[in-house]
Amino acid sequence: MNRDLISYIGGKMKGFSKGQKLIAQYIIEHYDKAAFMTASRLGSTVGVSESTVVRFAAEVGFEGYPQLQRALQELIRNRLTSVQRMEVTSDQIGSSDALHKVLNLDIEKIRHTLEEASLEDFNNAVDAIVGAKNIYILGIRSASALSGFLSFYFNHIFENVRLVNTTSASEMFEQILRIGKDDVFIGITFPRYSKRTYNAAAYARANGAQVVAITDSRLSPIAQTADHLLLARSDMTSFVDSLVAPLSLINALIVAVGLKKKDEIAQTYSRLEQIWDEYHVYEKVEETGNGNEI
């Protein structure tokens, strides 16, 4: 229903009461703002009671207002421009304490991610990665930070990791040209979804590779290509992409894969420690005789 929600509401306009028409008109014209309003705030904005907003949600086919709000958020997930996201950020946070507001919102995202996580999908993704001949990782724009983090640690665990670095579609396909049925492709994308990441995942799937999709919704385009779908909440209500929950999910993925290969990892890190020490990779903090660090 999400794709047609606005037109559906518009089509029912004649049958609404006066108050419901005010709600409907506001949603049609300002769905990007309505998606993040409480029932009380939406009601006060259009001049009706909170109970009228709740009844409106039922009138258009939802169990309650939270379900209508979620449908609106799904609708706009990939539609908000940077300017609209900036406006939503201002409405959500305004002049309040950004530090506490943002950190608490991120805590909520991790909590929701955990509540909605599928342990079966997660474990199947881990098994596919551990058994892969080659592992291809792709994340574009802000998601490149996530793909780089995942690649950094997977390179300590596996010898067959390929981080797809690309500035053009042709270069991307050149780097995944030989992907095949024994390989795994890990695509990472969050709103606004990368078309290039979707195209690469579709290519990998068509060539027989297993696709692990790390995204925020089953309605995400890349979810259509996924053999293993790992979902993490991101932030649509800010002009800055919140990657806290996705990074936490990726951290869990690295740990779970590492536990499957703990013997090999122990040998790898033992060797790396020797190299790091020999070539002075890390600064050593020494202690004085009285226990104080210098």
Side-chain angles (χ1 to χ4, degrees):
M1 183 179 180
N2 285 348
R3 293 180 181 177
D4 301 318
L5 179 57
I6 300 302
S7 59
Y8 177 76
I9 291 174
K12 290 178 65 70
M13 186 72 77
K14 291 182 179 179
F16 290 151
S17 66
K18 182 179 178 180
Q20 290 174 338
K21 286 180 179 178
L22 291 173
I23 298 168
Q25 194 63 43
Y26 185 85
I27 289 176
I28 291 170
E29 295 177 357
H30 306 287
Y31 59 86
D32 56 321
K33 294 182 179 180
F36 303 102
M37 289 182 171
T38 63
S40 176
R41 186 176 178 188
L42 177 56
S44 63
T45 299
V46 302
V48 301
S49 67
E50 181 178 351
S51 60
T52 300
V53 176
V54 173
R55 287 195 296 272
F56 173 83
E59 183 69 22
V60 294
F62 294 94
E63 293 182 6
Y65 180 74
Q67 287 72 32
L68 171 60
Q69 186 181 44
R70 175 67 65 84
L72 287 170
Q73 290 177 358
E74 292 287 353
L75 175 71
I76 68 172
R77 194 172 291 271
N78 199 34
R79 293 188 181 185
L80 290 187
T81 66
S82 297
V83 173
Q84 287 174 313
R85 291 176 73 177
M86 187 70 218
E87 292 175 352
V88 172
T89 302
S90 180
D91 289 342
Q92 291 281 304
I93 298 177
S95 58
S96 64
D97 182 352
L99 175 64
H100 288 85
K101 182 72 173 180
V102 171
L103 264 63
N104 278 310
L105 286 172
D106 281 340
I107 290 169
E108 283 294 301
K109 291 178 192 67
I110 292 178
R111 183 175 65 80
H112 286 307
T113 295
L114 181 59
E115 289 173 352
E116 297 168 1
S118 166
L119 184 58
E120 181 181 2
D121 287 340
F122 181 84
N123 288 336
N124 288 340
V126 169
D127 290 339
I129 291 168
V130 170
K133 180 179 178 181
N134 296 294
I135 301 167
Y136 295 81
I137 302 173
L138 176 61
I140 293 173
R141 299 182 69 81
S142 61
S144 65
L146 298 173
S147 62
F149 182 84
L150 180 59
S151 174
F152 176 81
Y153 283 102
F154 269 14
N155 271 302
H156 290 171
I157 302 172
F158 303 102
E159 298 178 357
N160 55 350
V161 178
R162 304 183 183 186
L163 177 62
V164 181
N165 292 306
T166 176
T167 55
S168 70
S170 61
E171 289 181 2
M172 177 186 73
F173 283 110
E174 287 168 6
Q175 292 179 52
I176 64 173
L177 178 65
R178 295 180 177 83
I179 194 168
K181 64 181 180 65
D182 297 321
D183 301 328
V184 164
F185 175 89
I186 303 175
I188 307 171
T189 184
F190 291 86
R192 300 158 71 182
Y193 305 111
S194 165
K195 188 172 184 178
R196 197 178 301 170
T197 304
Y198 167 78
N199 288 339
Y203 175 85
R205 179 71 177 270
N207 281 271
Q210 291 194 64
V211 174
V212 176
I214 301 176
T215 188
D216 67 323
S217 169
R218 295 187 181 277
L219 297 178
S220 170
I222 199 174
Q224 304 169 26
T225 72
D227 297 287
H228 312 290
L229 184 60
L230 305 182
L231 300 178
R233 288 291 188 94
S234 64
D235 193 351
M236 297 177 297
T237 65
S238 172
F239 65 98
V240 178
D241 294 327
S242 174
L243 301 177
V244 171
L247 184 59
S248 186
L249 173 65
I250 287 171
N251 193 17
L253 187 64
I254 295 167
V255 170
V257 168
L259 290 174
K260 291 270 188 177
K261 296 179 69 67
K262 59 183 179 181
D263 292 336
E264 296 98 314
I265 292 177
Q267 295 177 16
T268 299
Y269 276 112
S270 176
R271 185 179 177 190
L272 280 173
E273 287 292 348
Q274 295 175 5
I275 294 171
W276 293 336
D277 187 53
E278 181 179 353
Y279 292 96
H280 309 289
V281 173
Y282 293 111
E283 186 69 30
K284 288 189 174 181
V285 179
E286 298 179 0
E287 295 185 357
T288 62
N290 59 7
N292 296 321
E293 294 183 351
I294 58 172

